[in-house]
Amino acid sequence: MIRSDIRSLTAYHVPDSSGLIKLDAMENPYTLPDNLRSEWSHLLSSSNINRYPDADMLDLRRRIAEREGVDADQVLIGNGSDEIIQMLIMAADPGACAVPKPTFVMYEHIAKWLKRPVASMPLKADFSLDAMAFLNMCAREKASLAFLSCPNNPTGNMWPREDVQQIADNFRGLLIIDEAYGPFATDTYRDMITRNVMLLRTFSKLGMAGLRLGYALGDAAIIADLNKVRLPYNINSLTQLSASFFLEHYAVFEEQAKMICQERERMSTALSALDKLEVFPSQANFLLLRVANATAVFEGLKQAGILIKNLHAKGSLLEGCLRVTIGLPEENDRFVNALKELI
Ligand SMILES: Cc1ncc(COP(=O)(O)O)c(C=O)c1O
């Protein structure tokens, strides 16, 4: 009754984090300021929940468009950017889905669900991407879709503008530049949007992971076609109201992102001073570390009440690697102190 290749998959695992300091999922550790929280609850209570949500979301698209400097018909909204990745893989021309390796796992997972071949290009030891080799792979594997996470998850680095531009200029299919971690990076590649280059962004890392709201920016004709595979009413009324409200108060989240970047630099300096640990440069809201005994360190941190992400089992470039999300200053201090005891 269920396809055998689906039966052989493992479902996306979300570890139980009850009682732990949660530094595993790149969430923003700061909560909503009290004044915003009460205004927001008031707004939600005004929602006509007996009605279906606004299906077209023109108002929300206009607000996003204004913030991003594009037209409203260049905006596609998804239930998290995950849903947009799914729409893209459903709708793209037949052909492989090209990705660097390692990168965000959902590109490959969703491609598998939709029986689309995946072509992956291993990153170099310093996590850099050989743009020419990537393009050659795309041509060889007849890729119709390529995803570049900039900055990349889980490595945290940003591929240089000229490399991404080279891929944008020469790739024959649809290139998706995924800026999920854009709020923490020093550059954006939004200016690269063309007929075959789209940008993907999310509210999740900026302080609204619970909303599930992501969006794509691209050519209006491509966005119109992608809308044909968007489920009707994919964004519920409460999320639409919340997203518009939060866009009005965007400066609050930008300020939080700034504090997260400062904490990232403070943590990076503290961790770099430790022996027996490698810390990689990051333009995201997390750091990638390499230690000799990753699994023991991961378990030891859990015992100490801190949950991070163990990437060691993924092997090759990620051998010995742990990914830690930047938390509140006191959470970060607890993490660094616990880590010192374990390496
Ligand atoms: C690179 C990248 N893109 C997209 C997503 C998905 O974000 P969302 O919460 O909007 O589905 C993530 C989540 O971790 C990510 O790391």
Side-chain angles (χ1 to χ4, degrees):
M1 278 179 288
I2 301 290
R3 268 168 34 199
S4 61
D5 58 313
I6 297 282
R7 275 192 278 129
S8 65
L9 296 177
T10 321
Y12 189 86
H13 173 64
V14 179
D16 181 13
S17 58
S18 3
L20 301 174
I21 294 177
K22 199 167 181 313
L23 302 179
D24 66 324
M26 285 83 85
E27 293 144 327
N28 174 343
Y30 295 99
T31 52
L32 266 187
D34 286 347
N35 59 331
L36 280 196
R37 187 179 288 272
S38 55
E39 232 184 289
W40 174 48
S41 337
H42 188 69
L43 180 73
L44 292 187
S45 66
S46 73
S47 168
N48 286 331
I49 209 74
N50 55 315
R51 301 291 179 196
Y52 278 108
D54 175 357
D56 184 45
M57 299 179 272
L58 181 59
D59 177 61
L60 181 54
R61 285 191 292 115
R62 277 198 181 125
R63 287 170 193 255
I64 292 173
E66 196 180 323
R67 160 147 299 282
E68 298 285 3
V70 298
D71 295 331
D73 61 0
Q74 291 187 272
V75 180
L76 173 75
I77 304 183
N79 196 309
S81 38
D82 281 348
E83 192 191 32
I84 299 181
I85 296 167
Q86 189 176 28
M87 288 184 225
L88 285 160
I89 300 179
M90 276 196 286
D93 272 336
C97 176
V99 291
K101 197 179 178 88
T103 192
F104 179 46
V105 292
M106 289 313 291
Y107 309 137
E108 186 164 351
H109 284 304
I110 297 173
K112 278 189 179 153
W113 304 344
L114 297 171
K115 293 196 162 187
R116 188 178 282 268
V118 175
S120 35
M121 163 64 50
L123 295 179
K124 296 191 211 156
D126 61 356
F127 302 137
S128 61
L129 174 67
D130 182 335
M132 202 56 228
F134 188 77
L135 281 166
N136 288 340
M137 177 193 76
C138 288
R140 197 175 55 245
E141 303 292 331
K142 298 184 177 50
S144 58
L145 197 58
F147 288 94
L148 292 181
S149 168
C150 304
N152 189 42
N153 174 13
T155 53
N157 58 325
M158 184 91 169
W159 292 306
R161 168 168 278 274
E162 52 278 17
D163 291 354
V164 177
Q165 188 70 64
Q166 188 189 357
I167 295 171
D169 290 344
N170 294 289
F171 178 52
R172 295 303 187 81
L174 192 56
L175 170 67
I176 315 302
I177 301 176
D178 184 344
E179 292 196 341
Y181 302 96
F184 313 99
T186 49
D187 199 5
T188 167
Y189 298 153
R190 186 175 37 211
D191 55 294
M192 293 188 196
I193 294 173
T194 57
R195 185 152 163 67
N196 72 320
V197 179
M198 293 180 71
L199 204 78
L200 199 55
R201 301 199 127 198
T202 177
F203 280 33
S204 296
K205 315 300 171 188
L206 204 55
M208 293 157 274
L211 273 194
R212 305 300 299 129
L213 197 99
Y215 57 90
L217 308 175
D219 175 78
I222 303 277
I223 297 286
D225 283 335
L226 289 169
N227 254 307
K228 297 170 191 170
V229 296
R230 183 171 63 83
L231 284 173
Y233 314 117
N234 63 327
I235 309 297
N236 72 67
S237 312
L238 301 182
T239 295
Q240 289 189 34
L241 275 175
S242 307
S244 293
F245 176 77
F246 293 141
L247 281 170
E248 276 168 33
H249 299 280
Y250 203 76
V252 172
F253 300 100
E254 282 181 316
E255 193 49 41
Q256 293 179 344
K258 215 190 275 173
M259 293 194 289
I260 291 169
C261 290
Q262 282 162 1
E263 267 302 288
R264 177 188 69 206
E265 295 315 307
R266 186 180 74 89
M267 275 253 274
S268 176
T269 308
L271 293 169
S272 304
L274 302 181
D275 287 338
K276 295 188 274 178
L277 178 144
E278 198 176 354
V279 51
F280 296 96
S282 167
Q283 290 217 25
N285 61 344
F286 59 84
L287 289 171
L288 187 76
L289 318 173
R290 191 180 280 133
V291 292
N293 50 343
T295 298
V297 170
F298 170 79
E299 293 300 339
L301 286 166
K302 220 160 134 185
Q303 291 297 317
I306 302 164
L307 182 65
I308 62 163
K309 179 86 176 172
N310 183 5
L311 297 164
H312 173 69
K314 294 192 183 289
S316 62
L317 278 188
L318 293 177
E319 226 166 90
C321 285
L322 300 169
R323 188 190 65 200
V324 58
T325 303
I326 307 301
L328 297 170
E330 55 274 24
E331 294 175 331
N332 300 332
D333 287 342
R334 273 191 59 181
F335 166 76
V336 174
N337 290 335
L339 187 68
K340 279 182 188 161
E341 302 297 317
L342 293 162
I343 54 174

